[in-house]
């Protein structure tokens, strides 16, 4: 993860994580992952709704989710129980410096994430240095 | 209405772990692009 974050940050981009978990859970997550970016709390899921993120209990608990959990556990992550509403799905958005959405990726299930390549490609198109070269 | 690429990003005020309120717009108004990562239940 760290390499990916460094790549994203090198493209003049601030990473901000948003969680609907409790402050205690969020702090544990930050400590465990060593995430080098801010984490904001959204217990009422106001931002999740504003960005149109989906809700599905059935899709949240399919085989892919269990595989994802198994993989994370094998990589050393600790089981911390389910936080908040487990039907809430996540997503990833790139917002440019004018406040315009440049990438909108809403997860279909918890294992569904954009690839780092998709994010980097979007950011490279926004990177001012690249425009000068073109 | 579903938000699409090209739309203005919704501005929402949230709190950080210290309890300080922060507007999402603060991040892009600082002059950088922003990657918002909405975590799933395990992150």
């Amino acid at each position: 993860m760290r390499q990916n974050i460094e790549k994203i940050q090198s493209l003049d981009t601030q990473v901000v994580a948003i969680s609907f978990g409790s402050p205690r859970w969020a702090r544990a997550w930050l400590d465990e992952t060593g995430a080098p970016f801010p984490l904001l709390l959204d217990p009422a899921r106001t931002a999740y709704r504003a960005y149109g993120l989906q809700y599905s209990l059935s899709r949240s608990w399919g085989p892919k989710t269990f595989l994802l959990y198994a993989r994370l556990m094998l990589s050393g992550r600790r089981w911390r129980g389910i936080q908040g509403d487990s039907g809430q799905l996540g997503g990833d958005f790139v917002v440019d410096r004018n406040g315009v959405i440049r990438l909108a990726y809403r997860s279909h299930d918890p294992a569904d994430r954009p690839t780092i390549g998709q994010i980097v490609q979007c950011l490279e198109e926004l990177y001012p240095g690249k425009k000068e070269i073109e | 209405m579903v938000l699409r690429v090209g739309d203005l990003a919704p501005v929402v005020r949230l709190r950080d772990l210290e309890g300080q309120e922060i507007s999402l717009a603060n991040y892009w108004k600082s002059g950088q692009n922003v990657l918002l990562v909405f975590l799933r239940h395990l992150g």
Side-chain angles (χ1 to χ4, degrees):
Chain A
M1 175 171 101
R2 188 167 289 275
Q3 273 182 338
N4 291 343
I5 298 298
E6 283 173 5
K7 174 72 182 163
I8 288 166
Q9 288 173 337
S10 77
L11 292 165
D12 199 19
T13 301
Q14 164 82 62
V15 180
V16 180
I18 298 166
S19 167
F20 57 88
S22 67
R24 193 171 153 210
W25 178 88
R27 194 168 296 281
W29 182 84
L30 273 180
D31 288 345
E32 191 174 322
T33 59
F37 46 76
L39 174 63
L40 301 179
L41 300 174
D42 186 16
R45 287 181 276 150
T46 310
Y48 281 79
R49 279 198 300 276
Y51 282 78
L53 295 170
Q54 298 174 52
Y55 181 91
S56 169
L57 272 177
S58 59
R59 278 193 270 125
S60 285
W61 289 107
K64 279 202 287 186
T65 305
F66 288 104
L67 279 174
L68 170 69
Y69 273 78
R71 216 170 53 232
L72 286 167
M73 297 301 131
L74 285 171
S75 72
R77 292 279 286 275
R78 280 179 53 200
W79 173 259
R80 297 189 185 280
I82 299 303
Q83 285 297 311
D85 194 328
S86 68
Q88 179 65 58
L89 292 162
D92 299 81
F93 292 79
V94 170
V95 181
D96 72 16
R97 59 201 80 208
N98 297 313
V100 175
I101 294 175
R102 295 298 183 175
L103 181 142
Y105 193 101
R106 296 176 177 88
S107 295
H108 186 261
D109 59 65
D112 178 29
R113 303 289 303 267
T115 64
I116 183 66
Q118 284 173 286
I119 293 169
V120 165
Q121 187 187 348
C122 173
L123 293 174
E124 280 177 345
E125 285 167 12
L126 296 173
Y127 192 53
K130 189 162 185 248
K131 276 185 190 156
E132 284 164 23
I133 294 166
E134 282 171 354
Chain B
M1 194 190 79
V2 179
L3 280 179
R4 295 181 194 287
V5 169
D7 290 345
L8 283 177
V11 175
V12 180
R13 298 182 75 84
L14 299 174
R15 289 186 190 278
D16 66 15
L17 285 176
E18 279 69 49
Q20 193 177 351
E21 201 175 77
I22 296 174
S23 167
L24 293 183
N26 282 10
Y27 293 106
W28 52 82
K29 282 181 180 167
S30 74
Q32 283 192 307
N33 305 307
V34 181
L35 173 63
L36 296 175
V37 180
F38 288 83
L39 298 178
R40 295 74 176 152
H41 36 80
L42 194 73

